Each structure stands twice: as structure tokens, then as C-alpha cells.
Coordinates of all heavy atoms in Angstrom, one line a residue:
R21 N 87.2 33.8 135.0 CA 86.1 32.8 135.5 C 85.6 31.9 134.2 O 84.5 31.5 134.1 CB 85.1 33.4 136.2 CG 85.6 34.2 137.4 CD 84.5 34.7 138.3 NE 85.0 35.9 139.1 CZ 84.2 36.6 139.9 NH1 82.9 36.2 140.2 NH2 84.8 37.6 140.6
G22 N 86.5 31.8 133.3 CA 86.2 31.0 132.0 C 85.9 32.1 130.9 O 86.8 32.5 130.2
A23 N 84.6 32.5 130.9 CA 84.1 33.6 130.1 C 82.9 34.1 130.7 O 81.8 34.0 130.2 CB 83.9 33.0 128.6
R24 N 83.2 34.7 131.9 CA 82.1 35.2 132.8 C 81.0 36.0 132.1 O 79.8 36.0 132.4 CB 82.7 35.9 133.9 CG 81.7 36.3 134.9 CD 82.4 37.2 135.9 NE 81.6 37.5 137.2 CZ 81.8 38.4 138.1 NH1 82.9 39.2 137.8 NH2 81.1 38.6 139.2
G25 N 81.4 36.9 131.2 CA 80.5 37.7 130.5 C 79.6 37.0 129.5 O 78.5 37.6 129.2
L26 N 79.9 35.8 129.2 CA 79.2 35.0 128.1 C 78.6 33.8 128.5 O 77.6 33.3 127.8 CB 80.2 34.7 127.1 CG 81.2 35.9 126.5 CD1 82.2 35.3 125.5 CD2 80.3 36.9 125.8
Y27 N 79.0 33.2 129.7 CA 78.5 31.9 130.1 C 78.7 31.8 131.6 O 79.5 32.6 132.2 CB 79.4 30.8 129.5 CG 78.8 29.5 129.2 CD1 78.1 29.3 128.0 CD2 78.6 28.6 130.2 CE1 77.5 28.1 127.6 CE2 77.9 27.4 129.9 CZ 77.4 27.1 128.7 OH 76.7 25.9 128.4
P28 N 77.8 31.1 132.3 CA 77.8 31.1 133.8 C 79.3 30.8 134.4 O 80.1 29.9 133.9 CB 76.9 29.8 134.2 CG 75.9 29.8 133.1 CD 76.7 30.2 131.8
E29 N 79.7 31.7 135.3 CA 81.1 31.8 135.7 C 81.6 30.5 136.4 O 80.9 29.8 137.1 CB 81.2 32.9 136.6 CG 80.5 32.8 138.0 CD 80.8 34.0 138.8 OE1 80.5 35.2 138.5 OE2 81.4 33.8 140.0
N30 N 82.8 30.3 136.2 CA 83.6 29.1 136.8 C 83.0 27.9 136.5 O 83.2 26.8 137.3 CB 83.7 29.4 138.3 CG 84.8 30.3 138.7 OD1 85.9 30.2 138.2 ND2 84.5 31.3 139.5
S31 N 82.3 27.8 135.4 CA 81.6 26.5 134.9 C 82.4 25.7 134.0 O 83.2 26.4 133.3 CB 80.2 26.7 134.5 OG 80.2 27.4 133.3
I32 N 82.2 24.4 133.8 CA 82.8 23.7 132.7 C 82.5 24.4 131.3 O 83.3 24.5 130.5 CB 82.5 22.3 132.7 CG1 83.1 21.6 134.0 CG2 82.9 21.6 131.5 CD1 82.6 20.2 134.2
G33 N 81.2 24.7 131.2 CA 80.7 25.4 130.0 C 81.4 26.7 129.7 O 81.7 27.0 128.5
A34 N 81.8 27.5 130.8 CA 82.5 28.7 130.5 C 83.9 28.5 130.1 O 84.4 29.2 129.2 CB 82.4 29.5 131.8
M35 N 84.5 27.4 130.5 CA 85.8 27.1 130.1 C 85.8 26.6 128.6 O 86.8 27.1 127.8 CB 86.5 26.0 130.9 CG 86.5 26.3 132.5 SD 87.4 27.8 132.9 CE 86.6 28.3 134.4
K36 N 84.8 25.9 128.3 CA 84.7 25.5 126.9 C 84.4 26.7 125.9 O 85.0 26.7 124.8 CB 83.7 24.4 126.7 CG 84.0 23.1 127.3 CD 82.9 22.1 127.2 CE 83.3 20.8 127.7 NZ 82.2 19.7 127.5
A37 N 83.6 27.6 126.4 CA 83.4 28.8 125.6 C 84.6 29.6 125.4 O 84.8 30.2 124.3 CB 82.3 29.6 126.4
A38 N 85.5 29.6 126.3 CA 86.8 30.4 126.3 C 87.7 29.6 125.3 O 88.4 30.2 124.4 CB 87.5 30.6 127.6
I39 N 87.6 28.3 125.4 CA 88.5 27.5 124.5 C 88.0 27.7 123.0 O 88.9 27.7 122.0 CB 88.4 26.0 124.8 CG1 89.1 25.8 126.2 CG2 89.0 25.1 123.8 CD1 88.9 24.4 126.8
D40 N 86.8 28.0 122.8 CA 86.3 28.2 121.4 C 86.7 29.6 120.8 O 86.6 29.7 119.6 CB 84.7 28.1 121.4 CG 84.1 26.8 121.6 OD1 84.9 25.8 121.3 OD2 83.0 26.7 122.0
L41 N 87.3 30.4 121.6 CA 87.8 31.7 121.2 C 89.4 31.5 120.9 O 90.1 31.3 121.9 CB 87.7 32.8 122.2 CG 86.1 33.0 122.5 CD1 86.0 33.8 123.8 CD2 85.4 33.6 121.3
P42 N 89.8 31.6 119.6 CA 91.2 31.1 119.3 C 92.3 31.9 120.0 O 93.4 31.4 120.1 CB 91.2 31.4 117.8 CG 90.0 32.3 117.5 CD 89.0 32.0 118.5
K43 N 92.1 33.2 120.4 CA 93.2 33.9 121.0 C 93.4 33.6 122.6 O 94.5 33.9 123.1 CB 92.9 35.5 120.9 CG 93.1 35.9 119.4 CD 93.3 37.4 119.3 CE 94.6 38.0 119.8 NZ 94.9 39.4 119.4
V44 N 92.4 33.0 123.1 CA 92.5 32.7 124.5 C 93.5 31.5 124.7 O 93.5 30.5 124.1 CB 91.2 32.2 125.1 CG1 91.4 31.7 126.6 CG2 90.1 33.3 125.1
T45 N 94.5 31.8 125.6 CA 95.6 30.9 125.9 C 95.4 30.2 127.2 O 95.9 29.1 127.5 CB 96.9 31.6 126.0 OG1 97.0 32.6 127.0 CG2 97.3 32.3 124.6
T46 N 94.7 31.0 128.2 CA 94.7 30.6 129.6 C 93.4 30.7 130.2 O 92.6 31.6 129.9 CB 95.6 31.6 130.4 OG1 96.9 31.6 129.7 CG2 95.8 31.1 131.8
L47 N 92.9 29.7 131.0 CA 91.7 29.8 131.6 C 91.8 30.1 133.1 O 92.5 29.5 133.9 CB 91.1 28.3 131.7 CG 90.9 27.8 130.2 CD1 90.4 26.3 130.3 CD2 89.8 28.6 129.5

């Protein structure tokens, strides 16, 4: 859900938070 534990789930912000983590390949 992007980065549910760190940012509101399934949000644009959660996806950006995941992109900021270099090992993440997939949203």
C-alpha cells in the first residue's frame, strides 16, 4: 500500500515515501 507502516496507506505520499527507499522496486 505504498509504505503503509510509514505513511497513510494507498496514498500518493505513501508511494513517494517508498520511492525514497532505494531498495524498493515495486509499488
Side-chain angles (χ1 to χ4, degrees):
R21 307 187 198 179
R24 184 191 191 194
L26 310 174
Y27 212 94
E29 66 178 57
N30 279 314
S31 65
I32 291 171
M35 304 302 156
K36 290 181 177 180
I39 291 169
D40 286 337
L41 299 167
K43 289 194 76 170
V44 174
T45 64
T46 307
L47 302 173

